[in-house]
Amino acid sequence: MTTNNLYLDIHVIQSVPSSNINRDDTGAPKTALYGGVTRARVSSQSWKRTVRHSFKDHKVMVGDRTKSAAELLKQALQEVSPELSDDDAWKQIKAVFKLVKITLGKDEKTSALLMVSPGQIKQLAQYMKDNADTELDKKAITAVLKGNQSIDLALFGRMVADNPELNVEAAAQVAHAISTHEVVPEFDYFTALDDLQSDEKPGAAMLGTLEFNSATLYRYANVNVNELIANLGEAAAIEGVREFVKSFVLSMPTGKQNTFANKTLPSFVMLTLRPDTPVNLVTGFENPVSANNGYVKQSIQRLTTEYENTLDFVEPPIVNLSFSPLKLSQATSATSLTDLLEKLVANLTKVVQHENGND
């Protein structure tokens, strides 16, 4: 784990209409109490999964979070050693997993979900082929399972309870998104008719209720840039930051999306590169925003004001970039999301190269 500090804060204001994008165990939209009132909430786990799927859409290589890591390894092993029978392949795989304390059940699945990257699986299969006639080296296998990280593994980390040596420190933190204002649950009473039911027979074939809300969300995430560099290397980390920001900004969980068609785009994005500590600006909404011709513009103003207030506590940021399609001149420094990302990469590259003495 690196001790140098270089953090990127990502702040998003986004208005979402009637929706239920992240449900609790009763099927209701998740909520949170903040500032003494009920807020709409979207869990960080939900948004991280959506970001991972967005990476795939952008053709970015991602890992697999699965209980079937052994099966992935078996396929890769038999690709490099096609002469191996299924029994011999499983015998080798079980020996490797046992050595690094990853428990396999009778169904050849791990007891818990395990995040592995394609590069790790491929390299481990090659290691097993090259060392088929020698004693297995635990340190070498551990090194393989810590290297060749995919972007999602490097960003979101990995915990292996039975063997902490395989843990990967997450380089990103994602907050639960909450509404900048109070929300009141609403219910949709719906019915469905049988197309073949005769006109003489009245009544619905089914009926039910669906809970939903609408909200202007404050979304926040941060990236420990130097941790990501330690996980991926300098060039891949800078590109990884760009892809993460893009995917985080543009993605949205898909719960009940066919019912509500609620996919919107952010109204405001702010990126702050900091040398000392990440800062979540949700405190700007502890006093809930009141409805006055909508919540968006007031929420943006609250966010930018809270950012200015934090400058009394923390070091001046290296750079602060923002973009709003609302063309808010007092809070906008980029002309488009593409321009925002290009400015971010340019500033990030300059800072990283200076820190490493490459400028």
Side-chain angles (χ1 to χ4, degrees):
M1 182 174 180
T2 182
T3 57
N4 296 329
N5 289 334
L6 183 61
Y7 298 100
L8 175 69
D9 286 332
I10 309 165
H11 309 276
V12 177
I13 297 294
Q14 184 166 0
S15 180
V16 183
S18 300
S19 61
N20 187 349
I21 60 179
N22 186 209
R23 304 188 292 275
D24 64 16
D25 57 335
T26 68
K30 289 185 177 180
T31 59
L33 279 175
Y34 186 63
V37 301
T38 300
R39 314 292 184 110
R41 176 173 66 91
V42 182
S43 72
S44 58
Q45 298 93 325
S46 174
W47 227 298
K48 283 190 284 189
R49 178 172 174 78
T50 302
V51 167
R52 292 182 65 236
H53 281 274
S54 179
F55 285 151
K56 294 180 182 179
D57 294 339
H58 299 161
K59 310 302 181 185
V60 177
M61 182 67 70
V62 297
D64 292 293
R65 189 167 178 257
T66 179
K67 289 187 175 183
S68 300
E71 178 61 34
L72 293 176
L73 181 56
K74 176 178 175 289
Q75 295 172 10
L77 182 59
Q78 290 185 317
E79 284 181 8
V80 296
S81 300
E83 72 282 358
L84 272 183
S85 66
D86 286 353
D87 288 343
D88 288 340
W90 280 120
K91 183 178 179 180
Q92 291 186 33
I93 291 167
K94 289 177 181 179
V96 167
F97 275 47
K98 182 178 180 181
L99 188 64
V100 293
K101 300 180 182 179
I102 299 176
T103 304
L104 284 181
K106 293 181 180 180
D107 57 357
E108 321 298 1
K109 297 185 182 297
T110 56
S111 57
L113 292 167
L114 180 68
M115 173 72 84
V116 289
S117 72
Q120 290 171 343
I121 293 295
K122 183 177 180 179
Q123 186 173 350
L124 185 53
Q126 189 63 49
Y127 169 85
M128 292 169 67
K129 176 184 178 180
D130 296 342
N131 296 272
D133 299 323
T134 61
E135 185 177 353
L136 294 173
D137 185 338
K138 180 181 177 181
K139 288 186 177 180
I141 295 172
T142 299
V144 169
L145 290 173
K146 293 274 284 187
N148 287 285
Q149 295 179 24
S150 55
I151 185 174
D152 51 345
L153 174 56
L155 283 166
F156 304 135
R158 175 178 67 200
M159 188 190 77
V160 183
D162 293 333
N163 186 2
E165 290 181 349
L166 296 178
N167 290 352
V168 174
E169 187 76 17
Q173 298 174 341
V174 179
H176 289 233
I178 67 168
S179 62
T180 63
H181 52 88
E182 183 178 9
V183 296
V184 177
E186 298 184 79
F187 296 86
D188 176 35
Y189 172 78
F190 63 88
T191 63
L193 300 178
D194 187 330
D195 289 343
L196 300 183
Q197 183 173 298
S198 66
D199 294 338
E200 289 77 23
K201 186 177 180 181
M206 69 166 290
L207 55 84
T209 58
L210 174 66
E211 188 171 339
F212 66 94
N213 61 40
S214 58
T216 294
L217 298 174
Y218 169 61
R219 300 168 47 206
Y220 170 77
N222 65 61
V223 181
N224 183 331
V225 177
N226 284 328
E227 192 71 56
L228 192 62
I229 290 174
N231 288 346
L232 292 178
E234 184 177 306
I238 292 174
E239 179 60 22
V241 169
R242 183 188 186 282
E243 290 297 334
F244 176 56
V245 172
K246 180 179 178 180
S247 292
F248 181 71
V249 167
L250 295 179
S251 64
M252 179 179 284
T254 57
K256 292 293 182 180
Q257 198 169 79
N258 289 342
T259 301
F260 291 102
N262 52 257
K263 181 69 168 67
T264 61
L265 295 172
S267 297
F268 182 71
V269 180
M270 184 167 69
L271 308 177
T272 307
L273 196 59
R274 297 183 178 276
D276 51 354
T277 181
V279 181
N280 185 326
L281 299 177
V282 71
T283 44
F285 308 110
E286 197 269 345
N287 177 23
V289 175
S290 299
N292 181 15
N293 296 320
Y295 296 106
V296 170
K297 288 188 178 181
Q298 292 183 79
S299 297
I300 294 171
Q301 184 59 54
R302 287 277 196 95
L303 181 63
T304 54
T305 299
E306 188 67 10
Y307 163 75
E308 292 168 359
N309 292 340
T310 62
L311 298 180
D312 295 332
F313 291 89
V314 294
E315 295 181 28
I318 297 169
V319 65
N320 187 60
L321 303 167
S322 58
F323 165 66
S324 173
L326 301 178
K327 307 304 180 186
L328 301 175
S329 58
Q330 73 276 19
T332 304
S333 60
T335 58
S336 66
L337 179 59
T338 299
D339 183 43
L340 184 74
L341 294 174
E342 289 177 352
K343 282 181 166 65
L344 170 64
V345 169
N347 280 277
L348 190 55
T349 300
K350 182 179 178 180
V351 172
V352 169
Q353 289 181 347
H354 177 72
E355 282 197 349
N356 295 333
N358 296 327
D359 55 347

